[in-house]
Amino acid sequence: MKITIVSALVVSATSFAPNARTGRTSTAVLDTLNGWSPDESEFAWGLPGALPPFEGGFDPLGLSTGTPLSTMKQWREAEVQHSRVAMLAALGMLVVEEPIEYHPLFEAYNKDIGPAIRHLDEVDAVSPFFLAFLTIAIGSVEWNRALRGFSKPEGSFAFQQLNDSYYPGDVGFDPLNLKPSDPEEFAAMQTKELQNGRLAMLGAAGMIAQELVDGKEIFVSLGLAADRFDPSSVPIQF
């Protein structure tokens, strides 16, 4: 869960800043954008992420209509990063709670420390210096992402402006070398990532809301696990 928390805080809210309309990108730049060629006539400038029956894009509020390329890339950057956080969060919440209860930092067989949404309270109480380390780690990862994807604040510059040569979400982290070299395979993989991430954002939000309402772990609320949590056993009381 602590890995999940780090990841969740690392990818804080981005984008949603207005910018001037950007025309088509040069061929030299397109070669670095994983085979994607911006097309203003297509939904979301032709970025992958749609599946049947929404091949033409799902946008009931019309937010993408007339949206500049630079802004669309910012939105996709935010969506991809939040999708990754949500997938880790949804999985992490289930792993650290009953009945699995795998805790990287706690001995779960000694006591049940309750819903995942309050585990950082336990970290703060047991090892407050860990939060300082957490802040440094978050800053380091975000600094690397900023250097790779965001424009330098010089000349004609807009807030959170992405580099022309930066493909949204491609932060260069691929230790297992899973990224396809073929553009079509890459687009298919990103579509899968986005679709799973969108579902995870809804799922994680639902689980967090449920735990805030009743203070119980997810499988306990579903009646699939015993409730061993004793609120008096943790430093932060509910």
Side-chain angles (χ1 to χ4, degrees), residues 41-198:
S41 65
E42 295 186 13
F43 177 76
W45 290 82
L47 284 166
L51 288 175
F54 302 110
E55 296 93 331
F58 179 75
D59 185 16
L61 299 180
L63 299 178
S64 64
T65 303
T67 300
L69 173 59
S70 56
T71 303
M72 185 60 67
K73 288 178 64 178
Q74 290 175 354
W75 289 357
R76 175 50 59 86
E77 170 75 4
E79 182 179 31
V80 171
Q81 299 295 351
H82 283 87
S83 291
R84 292 166 179 169
V85 170
M87 285 187 282
L88 288 172
L91 178 62
M93 290 187 70
L94 299 178
V95 169
V96 301
E97 295 183 349
E98 288 278 8
I100 302 174
E101 285 210 318
Y102 169 73
H103 294 270
L105 300 179
F106 300 107
E107 297 177 350
Y109 56 83
N110 286 339
K111 65 177 180 180
D112 186 331
I113 58 175
I117 59 170
R118 303 305 299 272
H119 287 190
L120 196 58
D121 295 334
E122 179 84 354
V123 174
D124 187 28
V126 174
S127 181
F129 290 105
F130 179 81
L131 295 183
F133 168 77
L134 180 63
T135 302
I136 295 173
I138 292 170
S140 299
V141 175
E142 281 291 81
W143 178 259
N144 177 72
R145 186 166 72 97
L147 290 177
R148 181 178 180 86
F150 289 79
S151 301
K152 295 181 180 179
E154 57 188 19
S156 179
F157 174 77
F159 180 62
Q160 294 186 337
Q161 177 180 324
L162 299 179
N163 291 324
D164 288 339
S165 59
Y166 176 69
Y167 187 88
D170 190 1
V171 295
F173 180 75
D174 185 19
L176 299 180
N177 196 30
L178 299 177
K179 178 183 176 181
S181 57
D182 180 74
E184 292 186 2
E185 292 181 4
F186 176 81
M189 176 175 283
Q190 189 179 49
T191 297
K192 293 176 182 178
E193 180 183 34
L194 286 165
Q195 294 293 345
N196 283 282
R198 290 161 181 165

Side-chain angles (χ1 to χ4, degrees), residues 98 101 110-115 122 215 217 226-238:
E98 288 278 8
E101 285 210 318
N110 286 339
K111 65 177 180 180
D112 186 331
I113 58 175
E122 179 84 354
E217 298 158 87
D227 187 2
R228 298 191 301 117
F229 175 52
D230 178 9
S232 64
S233 66
V234 296
I236 306 297
Q237 302 303 311
F238 285 83

Side-chain angles (χ1 to χ4, degrees), residues 2-31:
K2 304 309 161 266
I3 296 175
T4 300
I5 293 173
V6 170
S7 303
L9 293 175
V10 161
V11 204
S12 54
T14 60
S15 79
F16 300 108
N19 200 351
R21 176 173 291 278
T22 303
R24 295 181 182 277
T25 313
S26 66
T27 302
V29 172
L30 288 180
D31 291 340

